[in-house]
Amino acid sequence: MAHLPMGPGREFDAIRALAARWGDAARGLGDDAALLDVPRGQRLVVSTDSSVEDVHFRRAWLRPEEIGWRATMAALSDLAAMGATPLGVLLALNVPADWRDALPALAAGVGEAVRQADTVIVGGDTTGGPVLSLTVTVLGTAAQPLTRAGARVGDAVYVTGVLGGPARALAAWTAGMVPDAVARARFARPEARLGAGRWFAQQGATAAIDLSDGLAADAAHLAQASGVRLQLDLDALPCVAGVDARQAAVSGEEYELLCTASPALDPATAAALLGQPVTRIGRVLEGPPGVAWRDAQGARVEFTGGYDHFSL
Amino acid sequence: MAHLPMGPGREFDAIRALAARWGDAARGLGDDAALLDVPRGQRLVVSTDSSVEDVHFRRAWLRPEEIGWRATMAALSDLAAMGATPLGVLLALNVPADWRDALPALAAGVGEAVRQADTVIVGGDTTGGPVLSLTVTVLGTAAQPLTRAGARVGDAVYVTGVLGGPARALAAWTAGMVPDAVARARFARPEARLGAGRWFAQQGATAAIDLSDGLAADAAHLAQASGVRLQLDLDALPCVAGVDARQAAVSGEEYELLCTASPALDPATAAALLGQPVTRIGRVLEGPPGVAWRDAQGARVEFTGGYDHFSL
């Protein structure tokens, strides 16, 4: 914890309140920096991710616990995409005065996500600010990390989970309606696919990316980084109820994984092991780097742009 | 880089612009997470620190380069306090629309600070937001890190640098005046005392903390963590021109180091080696944990509270 300028007397109270809320989900707070050890033979994997009020969420949509959970899982999702195991989390909070009363609940959501990921909070910083902003930095380890860059011609393309929930929830909220429970939960309580990332890495997967910009855009990132062409079947996309495949393909902040791996991997076996759907949605071809989408009739489908959060 | 929701088409442009500005000060951007290696026998040292517009600085006071530099050095200062060597930096930026044009200059300041600290930018995230907020996460390594908790009775207390500049600059700005160049530079261009932190660690220093809340408050943190009493001499404090010792003792965001170490260490030798003042300002006594200040006549001096940034 660096400093916490919340007015005289409040600084240490706030840190104590957060640490009390976290219990054994936090470790070694209170020095200038945290000390961690990376096991021999493991590489360090690090990423940082901001969740900002009125950019990534609106206060009216989510409970404070959900905001804390979601910001933490969104950051941990980058470790999942690398096939890494979490080592620790740092939390930088910009907290406006009218959010102070919600801080314990927010912290509880962070703590819950950290426990779910079997890791700990090792440091943080809390300051003021005009809107709530959570920047979560995640540290992990991996013996053989996955990157976006290794996809090989002949691989199959797999995706975890069921897509489109966040887009459906956002569409409802921005239309002034209440989203259905399934779509809402996919937005409010995403799960970083840490187990799936490690499993794919162990199976010799060649590349992976997590779905934050939407499948269409993230598949293009992976294709560019790997210098390959992905042929993806719109018809194969696993979609939540009420969402069609075109919507699912541009739904952002899914925090599912897109992986390239041997076509010999059986999705049903993977799904049974991982406790979540795993779907084969295409294959890796030679050709100019990019993504070729096709529909059930084999006709070409175009997507332009990625997910840019909701617009205010 | 996770995602950068600055509107269609702007996302990748912004990342490219930043990476171009950083040149070899950035490394391996563009995957879900960065990969780093911690040398054998070294511990990993990590800290995160937010700098928020209108909380830690005002736009009218600083150039964008200075804002980037200062946020980066403030975070690196936590590594200095641990006696660590930087391994890499992650930068999460919340950028309002009216700051976008200043982003290259801001990034240049971050890059310059990172080069000065002989490290690299390994990851980041850029999002929108209502004010500029920079969250800098620093990673370092140390074989034998310093903490706040090791001060021993009989140690001497040392401080690096010359204190009071940031307080003097803030006093001028908040009074609507222009600070003098020395005070302004101490606020706008702080230097993380990485060399000093490592040197003290090598000399067997027992504890250290960086001065972010102000010497009086930070000395109290160190005393509490170590369970010792620090006797500090107000008269011994090294002060910038125009600042008295009482003001220097409560000047925040100095990013100098307070260390406890053998009284046999010679401050003049240390200063010559490190290229900056090192001053012995007191000693470590038995007694209830805390700080006992005394003036030139040996009379007790009381400080209450710490530095809480400027109030708006």
Side-chain angles (χ1 to χ4, degrees):
Chain A
M1 293 281 166
H3 42 234
L4 188 148
M6 302 182 80
R10 296 200 64 122
E11 170 164 357
F12 302 106
D13 292 347
I15 289 177
R16 271 196 292 266
L18 295 186
R21 183 61 67 146
W22 287 329
D24 62 4
R27 196 181 64 200
L29 303 183
D31 220 304
D32 289 298
L35 293 170
L36 296 165
D37 295 295
V38 175
R40 272 181 68 183
Q42 301 273 311
R43 304 202 71 191
L44 176 64
V45 185
V46 296
S47 180
T48 194
D49 209 56
S50 283
S51 295
V52 183
E53 185 181 0
D54 294 339
V55 176
H56 298 86
F57 61 88
R58 281 187 179 154
R59 188 170 190 168
W61 298 349
L62 299 177
R63 295 194 303 274
E65 290 87 343
E66 292 170 332
I67 293 167
W69 168 284
R70 185 171 184 274
T72 308
M73 283 295 182
L76 286 165
S77 179
D78 286 322
L79 294 185
M82 306 290 282
T85 300
L87 185 66
V89 166
L90 298 109
L91 174 66
L93 288 168
N94 303 165
V95 185
D98 66 349
W99 274 92
R100 282 184 198 163
D101 291 346
L103 200 50
L106 195 84
V110 174
E112 203 187 337
V114 157
R115 278 179 219 273
Q116 172 78 11
D118 201 19
T119 188
V120 286
I121 300 157
V122 297
D125 188 19
T126 310
T127 76
V131 297
L132 185 68
S133 173
L134 304 87
T135 299
V136 181
T137 302
V138 290
L139 311 171
T141 60
Q144 298 200 307
L146 287 170
T147 71
R148 302 177 178 183
R152 288 183 307 215
V153 173
D155 286 340
V157 182
Y158 301 89
V159 70
T160 64
V162 180
L163 307 179
R168 184 167 164 83
L170 279 174
W173 276 315
T174 53
M177 298 186 297
V178 176
D180 68 81
V182 170
R184 185 185 188 287
R186 288 286 306 134
F187 185 91
R189 300 277 297 190
E191 298 247 6
R193 299 305 188 195
L194 291 157
R198 281 194 296 269
W199 183 83
F200 273 103
Q202 286 157 5
Q203 301 304 310
T206 52
I209 190 170
D210 74 319
L211 302 185
S212 53
D213 297 340
L215 175 58
D218 291 316
H221 299 327
L222 187 148
Q224 288 292 340
S226 292
V228 297
R229 191 145 194 87
L230 302 186
Q231 183 177 71
L232 301 183
D233 295 314
L234 199 56
D235 212 41
L237 295 194
C239 305
V240 300
V243 172
D244 70 27
R246 277 183 161 274
Q247 294 166 322
V250 296
S251 174
E253 304 194 332
E254 292 278 347
Y255 306 117
E256 298 294 347
L257 297 185
L258 182 75
C259 297
T260 56
S262 164
L265 286 188
D266 177 36
T269 306
L273 269 170
L274 299 171
Q276 63 198 261
V278 173
T279 309
R280 189 181 300 156
I281 61 167
R283 56 198 183 124
V284 181
L285 305 177
E286 285 189 81
V291 181
W293 284 94
R294 55 183 194 181
D295 66 15
Q297 286 73 47
R300 192 171 172 132
V301 179
E302 295 289 344
F303 289 99
T304 54
Y307 171 64
D308 279 298
H309 308 280
F310 59 97
S311 298
L312 286 181
Chain B
M1 293 283 167
H3 42 234
L4 188 148
M6 303 182 79
R10 296 201 62 122
E11 170 164 359
F12 302 107
D13 291 347
I15 289 176
R16 269 195 293 265
L18 295 186
R21 183 61 67 143
W22 287 329
D24 62 6
R27 197 181 64 201
L29 302 183
D31 219 304
D32 289 298
L35 293 170
L36 297 164
D37 294 296
V38 176
R40 271 182 70 184
Q42 301 272 313
R43 305 201 70 191
L44 175 65
V45 185
V46 296
S47 180
T48 193
D49 209 55
S50 282
S51 295
V52 183
E53 184 181 1
D54 295 338
V55 176
H56 298 86
F57 62 87
R58 279 186 180 155
R59 187 169 191 169
W61 298 349
L62 299 177
R63 295 195 302 275
E65 290 87 343
E66 293 169 332
I67 292 167
W69 170 283
R70 186 172 183 274
T72 308
M73 283 294 182
L76 286 165
S77 180
D78 286 323
L79 295 185
M82 306 290 282
T85 298
L87 184 65
V89 166
L90 298 109
L91 175 66
L93 288 169
N94 303 165
V95 184
D98 65 351
W99 273 92
R100 281 182 199 166
D101 291 345
L103 201 51
L106 196 83
V110 174
E112 204 188 335
V114 158
R115 277 180 219 275
Q116 172 77 10
D118 200 20
T119 188
V120 286
I121 298 158
V122 297
D125 188 19
T126 310
T127 75
V131 296
L132 185 68
S133 173
L134 305 86
T135 298
V136 181
T137 302
V138 290
L139 311 171
T141 60
Q144 298 200 306
L146 287 169
T147 71
R148 302 177 178 182
R152 287 182 307 214
V153 173
D155 286 341
V157 181
Y158 301 88
V159 69
T160 64
V162 180
L163 307 179
R168 185 167 163 83
L170 279 174
W173 275 316
T174 53
M177 299 187 295
V178 176
D180 67 81
V182 171
R184 186 184 187 287
R186 287 287 305 134
F187 186 92
R189 299 278 297 189
E191 297 247 7
R193 299 305 187 194
L194 291 158
R198 282 195 295 269
W199 183 83
F200 272 103
Q202 285 158 5
Q203 300 303 311
T206 53
I209 189 170
D210 75 318
L211 302 185
S212 54
D213 296 340
L215 176 57
D218 291 317
H221 298 328
L222 187 149
Q224 289 291 339
S226 292
V228 297
R229 192 145 193 87
L230 302 186
Q231 184 178 68
L232 300 183
D233 294 314
L234 198 57
D235 212 39
L237 294 194
C239 304
V240 300
V243 171
D244 69 28
R246 276 183 163 275
Q247 293 167 323
V250 296
S251 173
E253 304 193 334
E254 293 278 346
Y255 305 117
E256 298 294 347
L257 297 185
L258 182 75
C259 297
T260 56
S262 164
L265 286 188
D266 177 37
T269 306
L273 268 170
L274 298 171
Q276 63 198 262
V278 174
T279 310
R280 189 181 299 156
I281 62 167
R283 53 198 185 124
V284 182
L285 305 177
E286 284 190 80
V291 182
W293 284 93
R294 55 182 193 182
D295 66 17
Q297 287 71 46
R300 193 174 172 128
V301 179
E302 295 289 344
F303 289 100
T304 54
Y307 171 65
D308 279 298
H309 308 280
F310 60 95
S311 297
L312 288 181

